């Protein structure tokens, strides 16, 4: 897994994702439900790949014992991972910016749980060889010492990789 992709992962998952989306201004005095402190509970990767002509679409989850804290503020800023970001939210879409990096994701709020799903294929623009390498690397990230297999059936034998999407799950800090 290359450093550039790891940075993208941290920005998207660890700091709660986003890429330019048209945004409307919130009505004065209305505080978005996302405002508050959130602790990461888990992350997932949905990986689409092929092994000898059979296509797999699998999602693996890694639960965290002590995930990082991310805070969304009412003024449109967010902090986490020792950085300050700006964000905009329109419906279930969120755009998060840090410097020149901009990413978009989907937001699902259910009670005190926040799920942020990346909408950008993390393999986009890579060579076929690099797509395979990255897909296997993300599978290894979820499965840890168990290797890339596990929920990702025979990914170590994959002959082609198509897509990787990231998801982070957070719990509201009270």
């Amino acid at each position: 897994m290359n450093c550039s992709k790891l940075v993208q992962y941290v920005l998207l998952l660890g700091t709660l994702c986003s890429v330019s989306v048209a945004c409307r201004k919130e009505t004065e005095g209305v505080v978005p439900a996302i405002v508050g402190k959130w602790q990461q509970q888990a992350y997932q990767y949905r990986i689409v790949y092929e092994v000898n002509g059979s296509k797999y679409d699998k999602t693996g989850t890694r639960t965290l014992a002590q995930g990082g804290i991310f805070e969304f503020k009412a003024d449109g800023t967010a902090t986490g991972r020792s950085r300050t970001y700006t964000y905009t939210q329109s419906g279930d879409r969120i755009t998060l910016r840090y410097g020149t990096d901009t990413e978009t994701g989907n937001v699902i709020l259910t009670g005190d749980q926040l799920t942020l799903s990346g909408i950008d294929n993390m393999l986009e623009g890579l060579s076929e060889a690099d797509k395979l390498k990255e897909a296997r690397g993300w599978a290894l990230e979820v499965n840890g010492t168990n290797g890339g297999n596990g929920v990702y059936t025979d990914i170590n034998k994959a002959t082609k990789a198509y897509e990787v999407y990231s998801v982070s799950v957070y719990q509201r800090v009270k």
Side-chain angles (χ1 to χ4, degrees):
M1 182 167 10
N2 68 36
C3 188
S4 168
K5 284 292 181 182
L6 184 56
V7 169
Q8 287 178 357
Y9 162 74
V10 169
L11 287 175
L12 179 64
L13 293 180
T15 60
L16 311 176
C17 65
S18 305
V19 141
S20 36
V21 168
C23 301
R24 65 183 154 97
K25 262 193 160 173
E26 292 293 331
T27 307
E28 287 297 317
V30 175
V31 177
I34 198 169
V35 170
K37 287 186 180 181
W38 301 88
Q39 183 168 29
Q40 190 173 13
Q41 303 294 302
Y43 59 88
Q44 304 173 327
Y45 291 106
R46 178 178 158 240
I47 303 175
V48 182
Y49 59 98
E50 184 178 306
V51 178
N52 297 323
S54 295
K55 196 169 184 180
Y56 294 92
D57 187 338
K58 301 279 188 166
T59 300
T61 301
R62 186 165 205 177
T63 303
L64 302 172
Q66 183 72 23
I69 300 286
F70 201 82
E71 182 177 8
F72 288 99
K73 299 174 185 172
D75 68 359
T77 62
T79 57
R81 309 246 185 219
S82 302
R83 294 183 175 171
T84 299
Y85 304 84
T86 59
Y87 76 94
T88 52
Q89 184 180 355
S90 179
D92 67 349
R93 290 282 174 105
I94 187 167
T95 299
L96 190 71
R97 292 176 183 84
Y98 176 75
T100 60
D101 293 327
T102 302
E103 296 191 33
T104 298
N106 289 325
V107 174
I108 300 171
L109 275 170
T110 308
D112 285 336
Q113 181 175 306
L114 168 65
T115 302
L116 296 166
S117 303
I119 61 172
D120 296 321
N121 179 3
M122 296 169 65
L123 301 182
E124 193 68 37
L126 297 178
S127 69
E128 291 303 317
D130 284 343
K131 286 180 181 180
L132 271 172
K133 180 181 173 186
E134 289 296 316
R136 289 175 182 150
W138 294 119
L140 182 62
E141 178 74 23
V142 166
N143 289 309
T145 57
N146 295 328
N149 288 318
V151 296
Y152 302 106
T153 307
D154 290 331
I155 197 165
N156 290 333
K157 298 176 185 175
T159 51
K160 199 167 199 173
Y162 300 98
E163 304 167 67
V164 174
Y165 298 95
S166 59
V167 177
S168 286
V169 179
Y170 294 81
Q171 188 70 32
R172 188 180 296 275
V173 176
K174 296 185 180 196

